[in-house]
Amino acid sequence: MDSDIFERYLLPAGELDYWERIRDNAAPGTFNHGAHEDSTIPLLEAGLVDQVRDGDQIADNMRLVPLPGHTVGQLGVEIDTTDGKLLLCGDALHSPAQVWMPEWTSVFCADKETARETRRSLLRQADGTILLPSHIRHSAGMRIVEGDDGFQPVFIDSA
């Protein structure tokens, strides 16, 4: 594996394009709480960004998968291990409550209907996969079990 990958930032090309178009059409710092302006622009200007796309293999046993909706170009990282798959799913599952109620969206979702469909698809396909959402608390991750009453999370102890 190339050691330089740890000195780089991988940004989804579709996501970056979206924020750059908004930046071109708005006063800097006035959209998305200024996060693009204060966090992404300096990395771009320093030449530390590699743009990535759905399906890109970023390391051995690690590939990017599309999880749009919360943001336009959100990508997750799927990791194949000898014990199964892990999926760093970012804000596709913004809260564990969305396992029970996948139709719930965050006020920050860019495209609420796409976010709902991405979440439903993620939950349907999660059989055996350990999901690692960004905002899960008091747990290392979760597995999803589908039953007669819908989806249920099985939380994994972080200890």
Side-chain angles (χ1 to χ4, degrees), residues 77-118:
V77 180
E78 185 178 78
I79 305 168
D80 288 317
T81 74
T82 55
D83 295 325
K85 288 188 180 186
L86 303 173
L87 178 61
L88 286 80
C89 57
D91 288 335
L93 272 170
H94 199 263
S95 164
Q98 291 173 317
V99 175
W100 291 285
M101 304 296 287
E103 65 276 7
W104 287 2
T105 61
S106 159
V107 296
F108 299 106
C109 287
D111 181 336
K112 292 181 184 337
E113 191 49 46
T114 299
R116 289 180 187 107
E117 187 48 44
T118 292

mmCIF file of all heavy atoms in Angstrom, residues 77-118:
data_model
loop_
_atom_site.group_PDB
_atom_site.id
_atom_site.type_symbol
_atom_site.label_atom_id
_atom_site.label_comp_id
_atom_site.label_asym_id
_atom_site.label_seq_id
_atom_site.Cartn_x
_atom_site.Cartn_y
_atom_site.Cartn_z
ATOM 1 N N VAL A 77 -17.439 3.623 2.684
ATOM 2 C CA VAL A 77 -16.264 2.776 2.500
ATOM 3 C C VAL A 77 -16.638 1.367 2.932
ATOM 4 O O VAL A 77 -16.974 1.130 4.104
ATOM 5 C CB VAL A 77 -15.061 3.280 3.327
ATOM 6 C CG1 VAL A 77 -13.857 2.361 3.113
ATOM 7 C CG2 VAL A 77 -14.717 4.714 2.968
ATOM 8 N N GLU A 78 -16.605 0.443 1.975
ATOM 9 C CA GLU A 78 -16.885 -0.958 2.248
ATOM 10 C C GLU A 78 -15.560 -1.693 2.418
ATOM 11 O O GLU A 78 -14.672 -1.589 1.568
ATOM 12 C CB GLU A 78 -17.684 -1.560 1.097
ATOM 13 C CG GLU A 78 -18.132 -2.975 1.344
ATOM 14 C CD GLU A 78 -18.963 -3.477 0.182
ATOM 15 O OE1 GLU A 78 -18.363 -3.836 -0.852
ATOM 16 O OE2 GLU A 78 -20.201 -3.497 0.317
ATOM 17 N N ILE A 79 -15.440 -2.402 3.521
ATOM 18 C CA ILE A 79 -14.201 -3.107 3.845
ATOM 19 C C ILE A 79 -14.505 -4.591 3.962
ATOM 20 O O ILE A 79 -15.350 -5.001 4.763
ATOM 21 C CB ILE A 79 -13.605 -2.589 5.174
ATOM 22 C CG1 ILE A 79 -13.405 -1.073 5.113
ATOM 23 C CG2 ILE A 79 -12.306 -3.324 5.497
ATOM 24 C CD1 ILE A 79 -13.094 -0.431 6.448
ATOM 25 N N ASP A 80 -13.830 -5.396 3.149
ATOM 26 C CA ASP A 80 -13.955 -6.846 3.232
ATOM 27 C C ASP A 80 -12.919 -7.370 4.213
ATOM 28 O O ASP A 80 -11.731 -7.082 4.078
ATOM 29 C CB ASP A 80 -13.724 -7.489 1.862
ATOM 30 C CG ASP A 80 -14.877 -7.242 0.908
ATOM 31 O OD1 ASP A 80 -16.035 -7.365 1.345
ATOM 32 O OD2 ASP A 80 -14.610 -6.925 -0.259
ATOM 33 N N THR A 81 -13.372 -8.117 5.216
ATOM 34 C CA THR A 81 -12.467 -8.723 6.183
ATOM 35 C C THR A 81 -12.663 -10.227 6.150
ATOM 36 O O THR A 81 -13.622 -10.728 5.545
ATOM 37 C CB THR A 81 -12.735 -8.212 7.613
ATOM 38 O OG1 THR A 81 -13.939 -8.810 8.109
ATOM 39 C CG2 THR A 81 -12.847 -6.688 7.658
ATOM 40 N N THR A 82 -11.807 -10.948 6.818
ATOM 41 C CA THR A 82 -11.967 -12.401 6.880
ATOM 42 C C THR A 82 -13.213 -12.788 7.663
ATOM 43 O O THR A 82 -13.727 -13.893 7.506
ATOM 44 C CB THR A 82 -10.725 -13.060 7.526
ATOM 45 O OG1 THR A 82 -10.506 -12.463 8.807
ATOM 46 C CG2 THR A 82 -9.499 -12.882 6.653
ATOM 47 N N ASP A 83 -13.726 -11.870 8.500
ATOM 48 C CA ASP A 83 -14.923 -12.139 9.293
ATOM 49 C C ASP A 83 -16.200 -11.565 8.677
ATOM 50 O O ASP A 83 -17.263 -11.656 9.281
ATOM 51 C CB ASP A 83 -14.754 -11.556 10.703
ATOM 52 C CG ASP A 83 -13.644 -12.230 11.479
ATOM 53 O OD1 ASP A 83 -13.455 -13.451 11.307
ATOM 54 O OD2 ASP A 83 -12.957 -11.535 12.237
ATOM 55 N N GLY A 84 -16.114 -10.944 7.518
ATOM 56 C CA GLY A 84 -17.285 -10.350 6.882
ATOM 57 C C GLY A 84 -17.008 -8.937 6.424
ATOM 58 O O GLY A 84 -15.861 -8.514 6.333
ATOM 59 N N LYS A 85 -18.089 -8.217 6.170
ATOM 60 C CA LYS A 85 -17.952 -6.846 5.664
ATOM 61 C C LYS A 85 -18.234 -5.818 6.742
ATOM 62 O O LYS A 85 -19.089 -6.009 7.599
ATOM 63 C CB LYS A 85 -18.925 -6.615 4.501
ATOM 64 C CG LYS A 85 -18.530 -7.313 3.245
ATOM 65 C CD LYS A 85 -19.416 -6.901 2.096
ATOM 66 C CE LYS A 85 -18.946 -7.650 0.857
ATOM 67 N NZ LYS A 85 -19.605 -7.250 -0.330
ATOM 68 N N LEU A 86 -17.522 -4.696 6.616
ATOM 69 C CA LEU A 86 -17.784 -3.493 7.399
ATOM 70 C C LEU A 86 -18.168 -2.413 6.407
ATOM 71 O O LEU A 86 -17.635 -2.370 5.297
ATOM 72 C CB LEU A 86 -16.531 -3.034 8.148
ATOM 73 C CG LEU A 86 -15.856 -4.007 9.089
ATOM 74 C CD1 LEU A 86 -14.545 -3.411 9.594
ATOM 75 C CD2 LEU A 86 -16.759 -4.334 10.254
ATOM 76 N N LEU A 87 -19.073 -1.541 6.793
ATOM 77 C CA LEU A 87 -19.432 -0.423 5.933
ATOM 78 C C LEU A 87 -19.452 0.858 6.747
ATOM 79 O O LEU A 87 -20.288 1.031 7.632
ATOM 80 C CB LEU A 87 -20.788 -0.636 5.260
ATOM 81 C CG LEU A 87 -21.258 0.507 4.368
ATOM 82 C CD1 LEU A 87 -20.283 0.762 3.214
ATOM 83 C CD2 LEU A 87 -22.654 0.236 3.832
ATOM 84 N N LEU A 88 -18.481 1.725 6.472
ATOM 85 C CA LEU A 88 -18.494 3.062 7.048
ATOM 86 C C LEU A 88 -19.517 3.838 6.230
ATOM 87 O O LEU A 88 -19.264 4.189 5.077
ATOM 88 C CB LEU A 88 -17.112 3.709 6.953
ATOM 89 C CG LEU A 88 -16.064 3.174 7.927
ATOM 90 C CD1 LEU A 88 -15.472 1.882 7.425
ATOM 91 C CD2 LEU A 88 -14.992 4.193 8.132
ATOM 92 N N CYS A 89 -20.685 4.055 6.813
ATOM 93 C CA CYS A 89 -21.804 4.584 6.030
ATOM 94 C C CYS A 89 -22.104 6.052 6.290
ATOM 95 O O CYS A 89 -23.138 6.559 5.844
ATOM 96 C CB CYS A 89 -23.043 3.720 6.221
ATOM 97 S SG CYS A 89 -23.609 3.529 7.912
ATOM 98 N N GLY A 90 -21.207 6.742 6.983
ATOM 99 C CA GLY A 90 -21.351 8.182 7.149
ATOM 100 C C GLY A 90 -22.698 8.576 7.704
ATOM 101 O O GLY A 90 -23.176 8.007 8.680
ATOM 102 N N ASP A 91 -23.342 9.522 7.055
ATOM 103 C CA ASP A 91 -24.642 10.017 7.485
ATOM 104 C C ASP A 91 -25.801 9.383 6.722
ATOM 105 O O ASP A 91 -26.925 9.874 6.800
ATOM 106 C CB ASP A 91 -24.700 11.540 7.345
ATOM 107 C CG ASP A 91 -23.858 12.242 8.395
ATOM 108 O OD1 ASP A 91 -23.621 11.648 9.462
ATOM 109 O OD2 ASP A 91 -23.439 13.378 8.144
ATOM 110 N N ALA A 92 -25.556 8.295 6.002
ATOM 111 C CA ALA A 92 -26.668 7.579 5.375
ATOM 112 C C ALA A 92 -27.616 7.082 6.463
ATOM 113 O O ALA A 92 -28.826 7.011 6.259
ATOM 114 C CB ALA A 92 -26.159 6.417 4.528
ATOM 115 N N LEU A 93 -27.054 6.740 7.600
ATOM 116 C CA LEU A 93 -27.813 6.481 8.825
ATOM 117 C C LEU A 93 -27.358 7.549 9.806
ATOM 118 O O LEU A 93 -26.338 7.411 10.466
ATOM 119 C CB LEU A 93 -27.484 5.095 9.396
ATOM 120 C CG LEU A 93 -28.297 3.941 8.881
ATOM 121 C CD1 LEU A 93 -27.697 2.618 9.336
ATOM 122 C CD2 LEU A 93 -29.740 4.056 9.301
ATOM 123 N N HIS A 94 -28.087 8.622 9.859
ATOM 124 C CA HIS A 94 -27.684 9.756 10.688
ATOM 125 C C HIS A 94 -27.935 9.477 12.163
ATOM 126 O O HIS A 94 -27.275 10.040 13.034
ATOM 127 C CB HIS A 94 -28.430 11.016 10.247
ATOM 128 C CG HIS A 94 -27.797 12.270 10.706
ATOM 129 N ND1 HIS A 94 -28.191 12.941 11.830
ATOM 130 C CD2 HIS A 94 -26.748 12.970 10.210
ATOM 131 C CE1 HIS A 94 -27.445 14.002 12.004
ATOM 132 N NE2 HIS A 94 -26.552 14.045 11.040
ATOM 133 N N SER A 95 -28.878 8.596 12.442
ATOM 134 C CA SER A 95 -29.223 8.241 13.815
ATOM 135 C C SER A 95 -29.669 6.785 13.834
ATOM 136 O O SER A 95 -30.334 6.327 12.887
ATOM 137 C CB SER A 95 -30.365 9.125 14.302
ATOM 138 O OG SER A 95 -30.965 8.569 15.463
ATOM 139 N N PRO A 96 -29.360 6.038 14.911
ATOM 140 C CA PRO A 96 -29.874 4.672 15.006
ATOM 141 C C PRO A 96 -31.398 4.607 14.930
ATOM 142 O O PRO A 96 -31.957 3.592 14.524
ATOM 143 C CB PRO A 96 -29.359 4.195 16.367
ATOM 144 C CG PRO A 96 -28.135 5.006 16.605
ATOM 145 C CD PRO A 96 -28.441 6.363 15.997
ATOM 146 N N ALA A 97 -32.089 5.683 15.292
ATOM 147 C CA ALA A 97 -33.549 5.708 15.196
ATOM 148 C C ALA A 97 -34.011 5.467 13.758
ATOM 149 O O ALA A 97 -35.104 4.949 13.528
ATOM 150 C CB ALA A 97 -34.091 7.037 15.707
ATOM 151 N N GLN A 98 -33.172 5.807 12.796
ATOM 152 C CA GLN A 98 -33.547 5.633 11.393
ATOM 153 C C GLN A 98 -33.541 4.166 10.966
ATOM 154 O O GLN A 98 -34.046 3.850 9.898
ATOM 155 C CB GLN A 98 -32.636 6.461 10.492
ATOM 156 C CG GLN A 98 -32.866 7.949 10.665
ATOM 157 C CD GLN A 98 -31.861 8.772 9.896
ATOM 158 O OE1 GLN A 98 -30.667 8.490 9.882
ATOM 159 N NE2 GLN A 98 -32.355 9.818 9.247
ATOM 160 N N VAL A 99 -33.011 3.279 11.785
ATOM 161 C CA VAL A 99 -33.137 1.849 11.496
ATOM 162 C C VAL A 99 -34.600 1.452 11.648
ATOM 163 O O VAL A 99 -35.159 0.742 10.809
ATOM 164 C CB VAL A 99 -32.236 1.001 12.424
ATOM 165 C CG1 VAL A 99 -32.479 -0.492 12.200
ATOM 166 C CG2 VAL A 99 -30.771 1.354 12.203
ATOM 167 N N TRP A 100 -35.223 1.906 12.721
ATOM 168 C CA TRP A 100 -36.641 1.612 12.952
ATOM 169 C C TRP A 100 -37.544 2.440 12.039
ATOM 170 O O TRP A 100 -38.585 1.981 11.620
ATOM 171 C CB TRP A 100 -37.029 1.892 14.409
ATOM 172 C CG TRP A 100 -36.436 0.943 15.393
ATOM 173 C CD1 TRP A 100 -36.827 -0.354 15.626
ATOM 174 C CD2 TRP A 100 -35.355 1.199 16.287
ATOM 175 N NE1 TRP A 100 -36.041 -0.910 16.606
ATOM 176 C CE2 TRP A 100 -35.127 0.024 17.032
ATOM 177 C CE3 TRP A 100 -34.551 2.305 16.526
ATOM 178 C CZ2 TRP A 100 -34.149 -0.077 18.008
ATOM 179 C CZ3 TRP A 100 -33.565 2.218 17.498
ATOM 180 C CH2 TRP A 100 -33.368 1.033 18.224
ATOM 181 N N MET A 101 -37.110 3.663 11.753
ATOM 182 C CA MET A 101 -37.918 4.596 10.967
ATOM 183 C C MET A 101 -37.073 5.138 9.806
ATOM 184 O O MET A 101 -36.643 6.299 9.824
ATOM 185 C CB MET A 101 -38.405 5.752 11.851
ATOM 186 C CG MET A 101 -39.185 5.324 13.074
ATOM 187 S SD MET A 101 -40.733 4.485 12.666
ATOM 188 C CE MET A 101 -41.703 5.834 12.091
ATOM 189 N N PRO A 102 -36.811 4.320 8.776
ATOM 190 C CA PRO A 102 -35.921 4.770 7.696
ATOM 191 C C PRO A 102 -36.460 5.961 6.905
ATOM 192 O O PRO A 102 -35.695 6.624 6.201
ATOM 193 C CB PRO A 102 -35.761 3.536 6.821
ATOM 194 C CG PRO A 102 -36.829 2.602 7.217
ATOM 195 C CD PRO A 102 -37.258 2.953 8.601
ATOM 196 N N GLU A 103 -37.731 6.257 7.063
ATOM 197 C CA GLU A 103 -38.291 7.411 6.348
ATOM 198 C C GLU A 103 -37.945 8.740 7.020
ATOM 199 O O GLU A 103 -38.103 9.795 6.420
ATOM 200 C CB GLU A 103 -39.813 7.274 6.187
ATOM 201 C CG GLU A 103 -40.600 7.310 7.468
ATOM 202 C CD GLU A 103 -40.702 5.956 8.182
ATOM 203 O OE1 GLU A 103 -40.057 4.978 7.760
ATOM 204 O OE2 GLU A 103 -41.427 5.884 9.179
ATOM 205 N N TRP A 104 -37.472 8.704 8.252
ATOM 206 C CA TRP A 104 -37.070 9.935 8.938
ATOM 207 C C TRP A 104 -35.800 10.475 8.303
ATOM 208 O O TRP A 104 -34.862 9.735 8.018
ATOM 209 C CB TRP A 104 -36.806 9.672 10.405
ATOM 210 C CG TRP A 104 -38.037 9.443 11.244
ATOM 211 C CD1 TRP A 104 -39.328 9.402 10.818
ATOM 212 C CD2 TRP A 104 -38.059 9.197 12.640
ATOM 213 N NE1 TRP A 104 -40.160 9.156 11.872
ATOM 214 C CE2 TRP A 104 -39.408 9.021 13.011
ATOM 215 C CE3 TRP A 104 -37.083 9.110 13.616
ATOM 216 C CZ2 TRP A 104 -39.795 8.768 14.318
ATOM 217 C CZ3 TRP A 104 -37.478 8.855 14.917
ATOM 218 C CH2 TRP A 104 -38.818 8.693 15.259
ATOM 219 N N THR A 105 -35.767 11.775 8.107
ATOM 220 C CA THR A 105 -34.568 12.407 7.560
ATOM 221 C C THR A 105 -34.074 13.484 8.517
ATOM 222 O O THR A 105 -34.817 13.969 9.365
ATOM 223 C CB THR A 105 -34.825 13.042 6.181
ATOM 224 O OG1 THR A 105 -35.814 14.054 6.320
ATOM 225 C CG2 THR A 105 -35.265 12.013 5.159
ATOM 226 N N SER A 106 -32.845 13.835 8.334
ATOM 227 C CA SER A 106 -32.244 14.925 9.084
ATOM 228 C C SER A 106 -32.581 16.236 8.364
ATOM 229 O O SER A 106 -32.752 16.249 7.146
ATOM 230 C CB SER A 106 -30.726 14.722 9.121
ATOM 231 O OG SER A 106 -30.062 15.913 9.392
ATOM 232 N N VAL A 107 -32.622 17.320 9.096
ATOM 233 C CA VAL A 107 -32.843 18.622 8.460
ATOM 234 C C VAL A 107 -31.690 18.963 7.518
ATOM 235 O O VAL A 107 -31.817 19.825 6.661
ATOM 236 C CB VAL A 107 -33.032 19.763 9.481
ATOM 237 C CG1 VAL A 107 -34.276 19.536 10.312
ATOM 238 C CG2 VAL A 107 -31.817 19.937 10.355
ATOM 239 N N PHE A 108 -30.565 18.269 7.668
ATOM 240 C CA PHE A 108 -29.396 18.542 6.854
ATOM 241 C C PHE A 108 -29.341 17.713 5.572
ATOM 242 O O PHE A 108 -28.405 17.860 4.789
ATOM 243 C CB PHE A 108 -28.118 18.315 7.667
ATOM 244 C CG PHE A 108 -28.028 19.204 8.870
ATOM 245 C CD1 PHE A 108 -28.240 18.704 10.139
ATOM 246 C CD2 PHE A 108 -27.755 20.559 8.724
ATOM 247 C CE1 PHE A 108 -28.167 19.531 11.248
ATOM 248 C CE2 PHE A 108 -27.679 21.392 9.822
ATOM 249 C CZ PHE A 108 -27.889 20.874 11.091
ATOM 250 N N CYS A 109 -30.318 16.830 5.350
ATOM 251 C CA CYS A 109 -30.312 16.008 4.129
ATOM 252 C C CYS A 109 -30.546 16.891 2.905
ATOM 253 O O CYS A 109 -31.537 17.621 2.837
ATOM 254 C CB CYS A 109 -31.368 14.911 4.197
ATOM 255 S SG CYS A 109 -30.933 13.588 5.322
ATOM 256 N N ALA A 110 -29.650 16.795 1.934
ATOM 257 C CA ALA A 110 -29.749 17.604 0.711
ATOM 258 C C ALA A 110 -30.928 17.159 -0.145
ATOM 259 O O ALA A 110 -31.606 17.978 -0.746
ATOM 260 C CB ALA A 110 -28.454 17.496 -0.087
ATOM 261 N N ASP A 111 -31.174 15.851 -0.213
ATOM 262 C CA ASP A 111 -32.263 15.298 -1.015
ATOM 263 C C ASP A 111 -32.952 14.244 -0.158
ATOM 264 O O ASP A 111 -32.514 13.099 -0.077
ATOM 265 C CB ASP A 111 -31.701 14.692 -2.306
ATOM 266 C CG ASP A 111 -32.767 14.111 -3.215
ATOM 267 O OD1 ASP A 111 -33.854 13.737 -2.734
ATOM 268 O OD2 ASP A 111 -32.489 14.005 -4.425
ATOM 269 N N LYS A 112 -34.020 14.655 0.506
ATOM 270 C CA LYS A 112 -34.678 13.805 1.492
ATOM 271 C C LYS A 112 -35.184 12.487 0.907
ATOM 272 O O LYS A 112 -35.024 11.436 1.515
ATOM 273 C CB LYS A 112 -35.798 14.570 2.184
ATOM 274 C CG LYS A 112 -35.256 15.692 3.056
ATOM 275 C CD LYS A 112 -36.358 16.429 3.767
ATOM 276 C CE LYS A 112 -35.901 17.613 4.563
ATOM 277 N NZ LYS A 112 -34.559 17.710 5.013
ATOM 278 N N GLU A 113 -35.791 12.508 -0.276
ATOM 279 C CA GLU A 113 -36.315 11.267 -0.846
ATOM 280 C C GLU A 113 -35.179 10.312 -1.233
ATOM 281 O O GLU A 113 -35.265 9.108 -1.002
ATOM 282 C CB GLU A 113 -37.226 11.537 -2.039
ATOM 283 C CG GLU A 113 -37.993 10.306 -2.492
ATOM 284 C CD GLU A 113 -38.695 9.551 -1.354
ATOM 285 O OE1 GLU A 113 -39.360 10.185 -0.506
ATOM 286 O OE2 GLU A 113 -38.579 8.313 -1.309
ATOM 287 N N THR A 114 -34.109 10.839 -1.801
ATOM 288 C CA THR A 114 -32.952 9.995 -2.121
ATOM 289 C C THR A 114 -32.335 9.445 -0.845
ATOM 290 O O THR A 114 -31.943 8.271 -0.793
ATOM 291 C CB THR A 114 -31.915 10.776 -2.945
ATOM 292 O OG1 THR A 114 -32.534 11.191 -4.163
ATOM 293 C CG2 THR A 114 -30.698 9.929 -3.261
ATOM 294 N N ALA A 115 -32.268 10.251 0.212
ATOM 295 C CA ALA A 115 -31.733 9.782 1.495
ATOM 296 C C ALA A 115 -32.568 8.630 2.037
ATOM 297 O O ALA A 115 -32.027 7.635 2.523
ATOM 298 C CB ALA A 115 -31.687 10.926 2.502
ATOM 299 N N ARG A 116 -33.891 8.737 1.931
ATOM 300 C CA ARG A 116 -34.782 7.657 2.391
ATOM 301 C C ARG A 116 -34.536 6.374 1.594
ATOM 302 O O ARG A 116 -34.431 5.290 2.166
ATOM 303 C CB ARG A 116 -36.240 8.078 2.254
ATOM 304 C CG ARG A 116 -36.680 9.126 3.219
ATOM 305 C CD ARG A 116 -38.166 9.479 3.009
ATOM 306 N NE ARG A 116 -38.525 10.598 3.838
ATOM 307 C CZ ARG A 116 -38.757 11.836 3.392
ATOM 308 N NH1 ARG A 116 -38.686 12.119 2.101
ATOM 309 N NH2 ARG A 116 -39.074 12.795 4.229
ATOM 310 N N GLU A 117 -34.461 6.501 0.282
ATOM 311 C CA GLU A 117 -34.270 5.324 -0.568
ATOM 312 C C GLU A 117 -32.894 4.701 -0.340
ATOM 313 O O GLU A 117 -32.761 3.482 -0.279
ATOM 314 C CB GLU A 117 -34.467 5.660 -2.038
ATOM 315 C CG GLU A 117 -34.445 4.440 -2.944
ATOM 316 C CD GLU A 117 -35.328 3.288 -2.471
ATOM 317 O OE1 GLU A 117 -36.477 3.508 -2.056
ATOM 318 O OE2 GLU A 117 -34.843 2.131 -2.498
ATOM 319 N N THR A 118 -31.872 5.528 -0.194
ATOM 320 C CA THR A 118 -30.532 5.012 0.108
ATOM 321 C C THR A 118 -30.551 4.247 1.420
ATOM 322 O O THR A 118 -30.001 3.151 1.526
ATOM 323 C CB THR A 118 -29.504 6.163 0.167
ATOM 324 O OG1 THR A 118 -29.347 6.692 -1.149
ATOM 325 C CG2 THR A 118 -28.163 5.693 0.693
#
